[in-house]
Amino acid sequence: MSDLSQNILFEHPLNEKVRTWLRLEFLLQQLQHNRSLTNLTNTLSFFRTVSELLDIIDRGDVRTELVKELERQQHKLLQWIDVPGVDSERLSALRHTLKDHSNTLLVAPRLGQELKDDRLISMVRQRLSIPGGCCSFDLPILHMWLHNPKLQRDEQVTGWIETTAPLNNALSACLELIRQSGAFQKQTSLNGFYQDTAEDSDILRIRVDSAYQLYPQVSGHKSRFAIRFMPFDSEIGNTPERFNFEIACC
């Protein structure tokens, strides 16, 4: 093994609900990381991320699913409250936090509506599907906006991101608890293949040493899954007959 080897974490959803949540998390993280809009390239990346976020929100009732999950997690925590040795104060605090997230989500405006109603975001979204459609002659308002003082633009971007806070906080809490529900265990792949059951699990978390140059292709559903480890370079790469990896069913 190389001294540069490190574990790469792959996550795979086992149901459509969590598939949507992981995509939302991915996009919300991008908004946070790319909030400093200094040129046209990262500005278009930011607006494209906003557009994709709104597209996903429009496809289903994200709010209802998250509220149900927050209530489910509160109920699970309640079952632990009288177990000997459990930190009851910490459990109670966590339950109150989840309840606060749920209440905030319930009273919040329709998810994504404030972003959809913004004139600049709306105009940019209309042009994103057109190749090169955000050129200065197609969308002069965007190019004019980029010449506003940076402080003014930063305040506007902060306001846009803050409208996603109820969604982001509830989603982060749900996914964190789901991820913490499963412990990593070392397993062995035979000829690049591994299969097992995952009863009542939502996410598979797979850690692979980067020195192997392998990535997992997962197939399965809530009760059973199979993993085929594929070489990064399919032409010259190879899969060891046996190798260890770590997996958590959460």
Side-chain angles (χ1 to χ4, degrees):
M1 297 289 178
S2 167
D3 291 338
L4 298 177
S5 65
Q6 60 180 347
N7 285 330
I8 303 175
L9 176 62
F10 300 90
E11 292 188 327
H12 185 84
L14 292 173
N15 54 61
E16 195 59 35
K17 174 188 70 178
V18 175
R19 185 183 303 275
T20 297
W21 290 356
L22 291 178
R23 286 173 174 163
L24 287 172
E25 179 189 51
F26 174 68
L27 293 171
L28 289 167
Q29 288 174 347
Q30 288 184 61
L31 289 185
Q32 293 289 348
H33 295 161
N34 300 324
R35 62 189 302 159
S36 180
L37 309 185
T38 56
N39 55 60
L40 181 59
T41 299
N42 58 30
T43 298
L44 287 178
S45 177
F46 178 86
F47 281 109
R48 187 168 286 108
T49 301
V50 171
S51 182
E52 292 179 6
L53 179 68
L54 294 176
D55 286 344
I56 292 179
I57 290 174
D58 285 343
R59 291 175 190 166
D61 196 346
V62 176
R63 187 204 305 259
T64 299
E65 293 291 344
L66 282 172
V67 169
K68 287 180 180 178
E69 182 64 25
L70 288 167
E71 291 175 350
R72 186 176 76 90
Q73 293 292 346
Q74 290 179 63
H75 181 68
K76 287 176 65 176
L77 291 173
L78 185 61
Q79 295 176 332
W80 285 89
I81 204 76
D82 294 323
V83 175
V86 168
D87 188 339
S88 58
E89 290 186 3
R90 184 177 179 185
L91 280 180
S92 296
L94 183 53
R95 286 183 60 236
H96 285 303
T97 299
L98 296 179
K99 187 175 182 180
D100 288 342
H101 288 327
S102 180
N103 291 337
T104 301
L105 196 59
L106 284 170
V107 301
R110 183 179 178 185
L111 295 182
Q113 192 61 47
E114 292 171 277
L115 295 176
K116 293 169 74 173
D117 290 342
D118 186 272
R119 180 168 174 259
L120 179 59
I121 290 176
S122 178
M123 294 182 72
V124 175
R125 285 188 76 198
Q126 293 174 20
R127 308 297 303 181
L128 285 173
S129 61
I130 303 172
C134 294
C135 286
S136 59
F137 60 85
D138 279 315
L139 203 56
I141 187 174
L142 174 62
H143 293 261
M144 184 180 70
W145 182 79
L146 280 169
H147 283 82
N148 288 341
K150 188 175 185 303
L151 180 60
Q152 180 181 334
R153 286 186 283 116
D154 287 347
E155 289 177 352
Q156 195 166 359
V157 169
T158 297
W160 289 334
I161 292 177
E162 285 178 351
T163 68
T164 69
L167 169 63
N168 191 27
N169 293 337
L171 180 66
S172 297
C174 288
L175 288 176
E176 181 180 4
L177 287 172
I178 290 173
R179 286 171 172 133
Q180 290 178 354
S181 68
F184 280 99
Q185 296 182 346
K186 184 174 290 187
Q187 300 292 351
T188 301
S189 165
L190 300 178
N191 296 316
F193 184 77
Y194 178 82
Q195 65 178 355
D196 203 349
T197 57
E199 195 69 36
D200 296 326
S201 295
D202 291 304
I203 302 176
L204 291 181
R205 310 186 77 204
I206 306 162
R207 287 202 296 227
V208 182
D209 195 314
S210 62
Y212 287 121
Q213 288 291 283
L214 298 172
Y215 63 90
Q217 283 190 342
V218 182
S219 59
H221 47 81
K222 197 170 184 178
S223 61
R224 190 165 187 81
F225 65 90
I227 304 174
R228 174 70 67 183
F229 290 95
M230 307 295 294
F232 177 75
D233 190 327
S234 59
E235 294 185 1
I236 63 175
N238 59 77
T239 304
E241 183 177 340
R242 298 173 65 94
F243 77 93
N244 295 327
F245 66 98
E246 292 181 306
I247 186 169
C249 298
C250 307

